[in-house]
């Protein structure tokens, strides 16, 4: 089951097209192919980044380029705080 959504400027990447209960928006910093998934990093704030692992087929069906604006969103029940 998908736990997060990445929404690009011109469309959607995975899921329902809604960002979810929590979200961060910013430019895509990195796109890294990792076999069955693609790691997408989105900048938020001055120096922070949020990362999503997107299944390979979903990413290639609606790719997002480095530098493109994107929103990474998730459901509150799937969030895990890291101290």
């Amino acid at each position: 089951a998908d736990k997060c959504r990445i929404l690009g400027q011109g469309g959607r990447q995975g899921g329902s097209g809604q960002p979810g209960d929590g979200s961060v928006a910013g430019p895509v910093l990195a796109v890294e192919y990792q076999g069955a998934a693609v790691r997408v990093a989105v900048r938020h704030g001055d120096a922070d980044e949020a990362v999503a692992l997107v299944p390979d087929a979903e990413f290639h069906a609606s790719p997002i380029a480095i530098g493109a604006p994107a929103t990474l969103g998730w459901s509150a029940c799937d969030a895990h705080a890291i101290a």
Side-chain angles (χ1 to χ4, degrees), residues 13 20 46 48 57 64:
Q13 172 70 47
D46 291 333
D48 293 327
I64 297 174

Side-chain angles (χ1 to χ4, degrees), residues 3-4 18-19 24-25 38 41-42 44 46-47 50 54 58 69 76 78-79 81:
K3 301 288 184 183
C4 64
Q18 297 299 318
V24 295
V38 178
V42 174
H44 67 98
D46 291 333
V54 180
E58 286 183 28
D78 293 323

Side-chain angles (χ1 to χ4, degrees), residues 5 19 29 49 55 58:
R5 314 273 187 266
L29 292 175
E49 69 179 49
E58 286 183 28

Side-chain angles (χ1 to χ4, degrees), residues 14-50:
S16 68
Q18 297 299 318
D21 300 323
S23 66
V24 295
V28 174
L29 292 175
V31 175
E32 300 173 2
Y33 303 96
Q34 303 198 352
V38 178
R39 179 186 181 273
V40 180
V42 174
R43 176 184 302 280
H44 67 98
D46 291 333
D48 293 327
E49 69 179 49

